[in-house]
Amino acid sequence: MNIRKVVIPVAGWGTRSLPASKNIPKEMLPIYNKPVIQYVVEEAMVSGIQDVIFVTNRDKSVIEDHFDYNLQLEGVLERAGKKALLEKVRFVAEMVNIMAVRQKKQLGLGHAVLCAEHLVAGEPFAIMVGDDLIFGDVPGIRQLMMVAQTENKPVIGVMEVPPDKVSKYGIVAGRERGDGVYEITDMVEKPAVGEAPSNLAIIGRYVLTPDIFDHIRAVPPGHGGEIQLTDAMRSLARERGMLAIRMQGERFDAGDWVDYLIANIHFGLEDDDLQLNLLARLQAELADYA
Ligand code: G1P
């Protein structure tokens, strides 16, 4: 199973990030010196995916622009001799091929994925949810691609969450094979606390086969009255079998303010030019709360 394309749905309102996201797509909010979406696209790129399909809306075209050349800015940087910065901005334009399709009505994640059907064009493909940032030794989506390739089955990424958080996620029930790989037996979107079949939450990484589109078309509106990808995958899993893998690495939910702020500090501390100063300032801040 060779994966060349990734669908990245970015048409959500981003209500969790308001008022910051009032006029800026939540995907463009920075974590340290890059917008959230750049980390997601970099993960796809280093995993060997070259074609990115954004499912957008009328307010999100700035996301596509971010991955295109900005010749005026490049001219300014070139004339000023700012080579390192010039390379950084050019690199973003050269990472991947960009395609975009509009989700004209916000009818749910399943519906968003269905909007990309003609661009996926009958190939197995990846989906990455733009809020979920995963940093591991093996890039997040690559972990799924490796299993999908050897097992020739659709694969989704899961992580354990505390029992009181299950209602925020799609939850998977499965038989563990012993190596962090589960054969999925059931899946439910945002179950009530106490009613979840497990605490294995779907983290926004998927490798699916194109027959998912028929299942998306067939499922009725589910949680929140939306067309849920989880409901379509449950149907796909029953028909042809699906795997879940326990993902390795650190995850940040960019729509959660604590995760967002910690991710900023995490990447700030990795910058040698900032590290000492940032640490000293953080220690001083923390002392106020001791
Ligand atoms: C979506 C999916 C959910 C999944 C989550 C991961 O929910 O519907 O199954 O667990 O992404 O981030 P959303 O966060 O868009 O409500």
Side-chain angles (χ1 to χ4, degrees):
M1 196 186 281
N2 189 21
I3 306 296
R4 302 188 309 162
K5 297 175 181 171
V6 60
V7 174
I8 306 183
V10 293
W13 279 109
T15 42
R16 291 189 298 163
S17 302
L18 285 170
S21 57
K22 186 181 167 198
N23 280 297
I24 297 170
K26 61 175 173 163
E27 296 81 4
M28 291 302 292
L29 296 177
I31 287 185
Y32 172 44
N33 64 358
K34 294 186 248 183
V36 168
I37 192 69
Q38 188 173 333
Y39 292 92
V40 177
V41 170
E42 283 179 4
E43 181 188 317
M45 180 191 69
V46 297
S47 299
I49 295 178
Q50 275 165 359
D51 292 339
V52 170
I53 302 165
F54 289 124
V55 182
T56 70
N57 67 26
R58 56 186 306 122
D59 299 322
K60 303 270 183 157
S61 46
V62 68
I63 296 176
E64 290 159 69
D65 297 344
H66 185 69
F67 296 97
D68 197 350
Y69 292 107
N70 180 336
L71 296 178
Q72 219 171 351
L73 173 64
E74 287 175 31
V76 169
L77 294 174
E78 196 147 30
R79 283 193 293 279
K82 299 191 168 169
K83 275 205 172 137
L85 276 179
L86 181 62
E87 271 167 29
K88 269 186 195 155
V89 299
R90 270 199 189 139
F91 168 74
V92 187
E94 290 170 354
M95 287 199 306
V96 288
N97 304 318
I98 295 294
M99 289 172 266
V101 59
R102 292 280 179 105
Q103 184 185 19
K104 297 180 191 169
K105 291 182 184 170
Q106 303 236 326
L107 300 179
L109 182 59
H111 175 259
V113 172
L114 187 58
C115 292
E117 181 177 17
H118 62 293
L119 294 174
V120 168
E123 295 181 24
F125 65 107
I127 303 171
M128 296 168 75
V129 169
D131 282 343
D132 280 318
L133 302 180
I134 295 161
F135 302 97
D137 295 338
V138 181
I141 195 68
R142 179 95 206 132
Q143 296 174 29
L144 275 65
M145 289 161 69
M146 285 158 53
V147 175
Q149 203 148 26
T150 49
E151 304 273 344
N152 208 28
K153 276 191 181 155
V155 181
I156 56 179
V158 294
M159 280 185 175
E160 279 175 17
V161 295
D164 62 320
K165 295 269 160 51
V166 289
S167 59
K168 295 182 170 204
Y169 297 94
I171 300 291
V172 163
R175 277 186 293 270
E176 190 171 8
R177 288 190 189 166
D179 51 356
V181 178
Y182 298 80
E183 278 163 23
I184 294 175
T185 52
D186 201 7
M187 238 183 280
V188 43
E189 179 67 10
K190 304 198 172 90
V193 173
E195 285 173 22
S198 78
N199 65 341
L200 291 174
I202 302 173
I203 300 303
R205 298 291 182 273
Y206 314 73
V207 169
L208 298 178
T209 43
D211 44 348
I212 188 68
F213 295 115
D214 288 335
H215 293 270
I216 296 175
R217 261 187 291 273
V219 291
H223 183 86
E226 296 186 334
I227 305 291
Q228 296 293 349
L229 182 61
T230 303
D231 296 341
M233 290 193 303
R234 183 213 278 129
S235 165
L236 181 71
R238 287 194 176 149
E239 191 174 277
R240 58 135 68 213
M242 262 186 87
L243 302 173
I245 61 162
R246 203 195 294 253
M247 297 194 75
Q248 307 295 328
E250 191 167 3
R251 172 200 176 224
F252 300 101
D253 171 4
D256 173 276
W257 285 119
V258 172
D259 275 22
Y260 178 83
L261 294 168
I262 293 290
N264 271 282
I265 293 167
H266 177 97
F267 285 103
L269 287 173
E270 281 191 355
D271 182 333
D272 291 341
D273 292 338
L274 304 193
Q275 197 183 65
L276 285 181
N277 196 359
L278 183 55
L279 268 178
R281 296 283 297 272
L282 279 172
Q283 272 152 2
E285 286 290 332
L286 290 176
D288 286 347
Y289 293 89

